[in-house]
Amino acid sequence: KYTPLIVGKLILKLFLVFFIFDSSAEAADKQVSAWLPSWEVEEAIESFEENKDTIDVLSPFWYHINEDGTLEAVKNSEDEKVIELAKENNIPIIPTISNSYDGKKISGFLNDPLRRSENIKNILDKVLEFNYDGIDIDYEGSLSEDIEEFSAYIKELSEVLHAQNRKLTIAV
């Protein structure tokens, strides 16, 4: 039986084989990003340690977004060992915030300028508190009627993060 960890390790190894053995100019411009699942922490950290020399960016799944726009740190998030290992190896840490594939979960705060602003401040505070290199927004399944609000949110969040020399990545 293939668990998510086994599938994740296989995908990571396939990426590594492609990038390590492809000596073309195109491959030189590519980066290897590793997602660190919060649900199998020990195995994920072990895999990270084994592959740290080939990883360019680390995105641990450490936060969920609540309907009111507040952040919730998931179990095993903000792991000092992971942060230290990444920093020691000059690997940028860009944690992921997920909406658990529920577009309704983000609709309320996207459409409320005050809550949206508070959410952006909370994200920036978290990035600065842990000295993250940025944040990854993984708000999948967004509602089509929220497209303009989502675009405004991303623009506002990117401006705040970029002003602090931090990155923003997005999965939609």
Side-chain angles (χ1 to χ4, degrees), residues 130-145:
F130 288 96
N131 197 26
Y132 297 145
D133 297 277
I135 206 75
D136 175 48
I137 299 295
D138 186 10
Y139 297 167
E140 298 187 40
S142 300
L143 304 178
S144 59
E145 58 266 24

Side-chain angles (χ1 to χ4, degrees), residues 55-160:
I55 295 172
D56 297 306
V57 178
L58 183 66
S59 290
F61 281 83
W62 280 352
Y63 302 100
H64 287 283
I65 190 78
N66 294 315
E67 288 185 19
D68 63 359
T70 57
L71 297 179
E72 180 179 338
V74 300
K75 183 179 177 185
N76 302 313
S77 65
E78 302 169 350
D79 187 301
E80 290 179 17
K81 180 179 178 181
V82 171
I83 293 170
E84 184 178 313
L85 183 61
K87 296 293 182 186
E88 286 173 358
N89 290 278
N90 297 313
I91 300 170
I93 303 173
I94 302 178
T96 297
I97 303 172
S98 171
N99 69 335
S100 304
Y101 309 100
D102 183 358
K104 292 178 186 173
K105 188 177 268 192
I106 62 172
S107 185
F109 82 85
L110 286 178
N111 287 284
D112 181 334
L114 179 60
R115 288 194 309 175
R116 186 167 73 206
S117 179
E118 289 172 357
N119 168 265
I120 290 170
K121 181 187 179 313
N122 291 338
I123 290 172
L124 179 63
D125 289 348
K126 190 64 72 175
V127 167
L128 296 176
E129 176 185 356
F130 288 96
N131 197 26
Y132 297 145
D133 297 277
I135 206 75
D136 175 48
I137 299 295
D138 186 10
Y139 297 167
E140 298 187 40
S142 300
L143 304 178
S144 59
E145 58 266 24
D146 290 338
I147 189 76
E148 289 185 26
E149 289 80 9
F150 181 75
S151 295
Y153 169 74
I154 293 301
K155 183 178 186 293
E156 293 164 13
L157 179 58
S158 68
E159 288 170 354
V160 167

